[in-house]
Amino acid sequence: MSNDETPQNDIPESGRPRREEPLGKDEPMRKEEPAREPEPVGETAPVREPEPAEAAAAPLTGRQRLAAGLWPPRFSRAQLIVALLLFVLGLGLAIQVRSTSDSSALRGARQEDLVRILDELDDRTQRLEDEKSRLEDQRAELDNSSDQAEEARKQTREKERQLGILAGTVAAQGPGITLTIADGAGAVESDMLLDAIQELRAAGAEAIQVNDVRVVADSYFSGGDGSPIEVDGTKVSPPYVFKVIGKPEDLEPALNIPGGVVQTLEKEQATATVRRSDKIVVDALRPAERPDYARSSSQ
Amino acid sequence: MIAVLGLVVGVVVGLLVRPEVPAVVEPYLPIAVVAALDAVFGGLRAMLDGIFVDKVFVVSFLSNVVVAALIVFLGDKLGVGAQLSTGVVVVLGIRIFSNAAAIRRHVFRA
């Protein structure tokens, strides 16, 4: 039969007698060979070879059986089932070994060591918890204080704006009146303007501007008696336009009362007109001046 | 050969994939592995003796695993899980040793 086969098969076939030599007289097994061979003609020799080897190995010693079972791989049902079971075994083995070696540090430890380690861990957890709560308190405190600082800054800004209106460093707007004094005869003196300012202040004026000059606490009037009137050293010329922010219902009567500013001016042949407005813009500014001597005593 | 390959592939897959073992099975895995090892050694010995039957091997493998897991389970329920596990491991270890001795006699003729 082997002679009919392809030349490639001859080489493996030639090895077979050597392997079968120990069997010696095992004639029935040899007879099986030809009977089986016709079937797997198309197959390669290595696959076919084990069959006779296995069949011949029956009376063999255990060592030879082992060798025969090991080397030429066969895809028999038994092999596959055993392989599947061994696969499961290997899987379980590997998983177990891995999960055991994961925590190998504590595995061999004695019980009292484990208790000590546990105590230490508890202590450490306690310490860390304490530290955590302390840091959280600190953080809350800082959050709080930064909130307070922000609030203080906001209030300071608000105050700065309010004081800026009084000091004339920021523009202001609001309801108020416009007082226009037309001085055709040149009879208006600075003290009359000062009277008007005083009257307006007494009536609650909050921001005053004469022509282009902001009137503040230390404003002064000079001139008159022929020379041009100056406010804070800035010449102002008629008509004098007072822009005043305040309550119009208070400001207007204050100017118009009998013997008041308006009547006095009209006696001097000057005309004074008062006009209420819902929106007066006082936009003349003064530079903020640092006092030379006075210092805040609140610090 | 295929069987040995199966074992190798199982170990490699177990090491590489790191499958998560369900918590229910976890306590029984080591004892089941030992029981399966016993079955494998028995199967190897039977093969060397020339009396290996795959059906017997399959049944003994599965029954070993199941019985071992059952004993541990029962031990856990009775509160003597650790002692029973030790007992099972001792018995299986003795069997493995005797099987290994038979295998040794076959392989090394000594």
Side-chain angles (χ1 to χ4, degrees):
Chain A
M1 203 66 193
S2 358
N3 295 338
D4 295 338
E5 287 178 12
T6 53
Q8 295 113 310
N9 284 342
D10 283 340
I11 299 161
E13 292 280 326
S14 62
R16 199 198 298 161
R18 188 158 38 87
R19 176 175 289 207
E20 284 179 350
E21 259 169 30
L23 319 182
K25 320 131 203 174
D26 208 7
E27 273 310 310
M29 295 302 165
R30 286 195 181 207
K31 273 177 188 169
E32 240 179 88
E33 273 181 55
R36 281 186 191 183
E37 273 186 303
E39 274 183 80
V41 163
E43 288 182 346
T44 53
V47 176
R48 233 177 332 110
E49 201 181 7
E51 309 248 348
E54 183 195 35
L60 274 183
T61 60
R63 194 191 283 192
Q64 284 157 331
R65 253 183 236 114
L66 186 64
L70 269 184
W71 174 229
R74 288 156 298 164
F75 285 91
S76 63
R77 190 185 60 135
Q79 284 271 343
L80 287 177
I81 291 174
V82 174
L84 183 69
L85 290 181
L86 285 180
F87 172 79
V88 173
L89 170 63
L91 200 66
L93 206 62
I95 292 170
Q96 188 57 33
V97 168
R98 181 165 281 281
S99 70
T100 306
S101 61
D102 277 349
S103 54
S104 56
L106 295 178
R107 264 197 99 70
R110 287 174 304 145
Q111 196 172 353
E112 46 269 40
D113 287 344
L114 290 174
V115 170
R116 189 175 45 77
I117 292 170
L118 192 61
D119 280 349
E120 281 173 4
L121 282 177
D122 279 349
D123 283 353
R124 187 141 170 264
T125 311
Q126 188 61 43
R127 274 204 308 279
L128 290 175
E129 285 286 343
D130 288 350
E131 195 180 342
K132 182 180 153 224
S133 65
R134 194 169 52 78
L135 289 173
E136 269 173 355
D137 285 352
Q138 208 171 334
R139 193 189 68 178
E141 211 171 285
L142 287 173
D143 277 353
N144 212 1
S145 68
S146 83
D147 279 357
Q148 284 177 352
E150 178 62 30
E151 182 63 25
R153 251 197 312 279
K154 219 164 73 184
Q155 286 180 1
T156 306
R157 270 199 299 274
E158 184 63 26
K159 203 163 189 175
E160 186 194 357
R161 271 197 296 275
Q162 291 170 358
L163 293 175
I165 290 171
L166 289 181
T169 55
V170 298
Q173 70 170 34
I177 60 163
T178 309
L179 167 66
T180 309
I181 300 171
D183 181 20
V188 175
E189 298 292 339
S190 55
D191 60 334
M192 296 175 191
L193 299 184
L194 185 59
D195 282 345
I197 296 290
Q198 307 281 37
E199 199 66 52
L200 289 167
R201 278 183 178 151
E206 290 167 355
I208 304 172
Q209 165 180 355
V210 180
N211 286 6
D212 288 331
V213 183
R214 184 73 166 263
V215 178
V216 293
D218 58 351
S219 291
Y220 62 91
F221 288 80
S222 57
D225 283 336
S227 61
I229 294 174
E230 293 178 355
V231 181
D232 294 344
T234 306
K235 234 183 272 177
V236 292
S237 47
Y240 309 105
V241 179
F242 289 64
K243 288 182 181 173
V244 186
I245 294 177
K247 194 178 178 186
E249 293 82 11
D250 291 346
L251 294 173
E252 195 181 4
L255 295 174
N256 286 331
I257 53 167
V261 175
V262 173
Q263 278 194 2
T264 311
L265 285 169
E266 277 169 352
K267 251 186 264 171
E268 301 289 339
Q269 277 82 45
T271 54
T273 48
V274 177
R275 194 157 46 81
R276 292 189 195 190
S277 175
D278 281 340
K279 189 184 177 189
I280 296 288
V281 177
V282 175
D283 52 3
L285 300 183
R286 282 170 61 94
E289 278 170 11
R290 188 185 170 84
D292 288 334
Y293 302 102
R295 293 285 179 269
S296 167
S297 63
S298 68
Q299 287 175 6
Chain B
M1 191 63 199
I2 304 294
V4 176
L5 274 182
L7 180 64
V8 172
V9 168
V11 171
V12 169
V13 168
L15 287 179
L16 291 186
V17 178
R18 296 185 185 214
E20 280 298 311
V21 188
V24 188
V25 187
E26 213 173 354
Y28 311 120
L29 187 59
I31 215 78
V33 166
V34 174
L37 269 181
D38 172 53
V40 168
F41 273 92
L44 192 60
R45 180 189 181 179
M47 198 200 88
L48 292 175
D49 285 342
I51 53 170
F52 179 81
V53 182
D54 55 343
K55 194 175 144 196
V56 173
F57 175 71
V58 170
V59 170
S60 80
F61 186 99
L62 293 180
S63 69
N64 259 15
V65 169
V66 168
V67 169
L70 204 65
I71 289 175
V72 175
F73 171 76
L74 207 60
D76 280 345
K77 291 293 168 214
L78 295 176
V80 289
Q83 291 92 321
L84 262 185
S85 300
T86 311
V88 170
V89 169
V90 166
V91 170
L92 291 175
I94 290 171
R95 282 171 52 110
I96 290 174
F97 264 108
S98 66
N99 280 334
I103 293 165
R104 187 200 65 218
R105 255 176 246 119
H106 275 297
V107 175
F108 300 110
R109 305 191 205 288

